[in-house]
Amino acid sequence: PLQDVDGPDRPILLKRALIVDKVQINRLVLERQLQTCGLEVSMCRSAGEALQIVASGGAFDVILTDHDMPGMEGPELAAHLRAAGIASPILLLSSYPEAVKGKTADVAAVLQKPILRSALFRTLQDLSHPDGKESFQPLDPAEPAPPASERRQMRVLAAEDNRTNQLVFRKMV
């Protein structure tokens, strides 16, 4: 599985995910992100379809549902899943997280759309390690970074036509 360079070095232990979103491209983008993290992904277009999959024995380590869906919105789907005895963590994906305040009793987290890969990755790490403790030991301790005088000089080519972006990139590098 992919390791996040910004976050703690904790593996994602979740194996199966269910994505519920009416928009196909949203489902495909999330599927790619989750597969990169090592998850097996099932997808459906509606809350009704998700309830059928779960009722027919589909078991998932995490369920990701869009907030705004026809027929049954994400928080309502989460409540139905809890009522059906599903204990898997549910992530609510919303373009307007403020709109779901007070409706999140059945969800583990609310992620703002568009979903940043780093935010999704950290959330999956947190769900894999709910007690916050490391469940593994690294093979070798990380070596300290060499002093600046010993670092290798590099040249970077960046293709960017916007002057502001060029300046920002130059400052970052």
Side-chain angles (χ1 to χ4, degrees), residues 3-45:
Q3 294 298 315
D4 188 6
V5 294
D6 296 329
D9 199 18
R10 301 178 295 164
I12 293 175
L13 305 175
L14 308 172
K15 299 296 178 204
R16 296 197 64 213
L18 175 65
I19 298 170
V20 187
D21 197 313
K22 66 182 182 274
V23 181
Q24 181 180 12
I25 190 69
N26 292 348
R27 291 191 307 267
L28 294 174
V29 167
L30 268 174
E31 178 186 37
R32 284 247 170 90
Q33 290 177 329
L34 292 171
Q35 286 174 337
T36 301
C37 295
L39 278 80
E40 177 186 323
V41 179
S42 298
M43 299 186 289
C44 47
R45 293 181 294 256

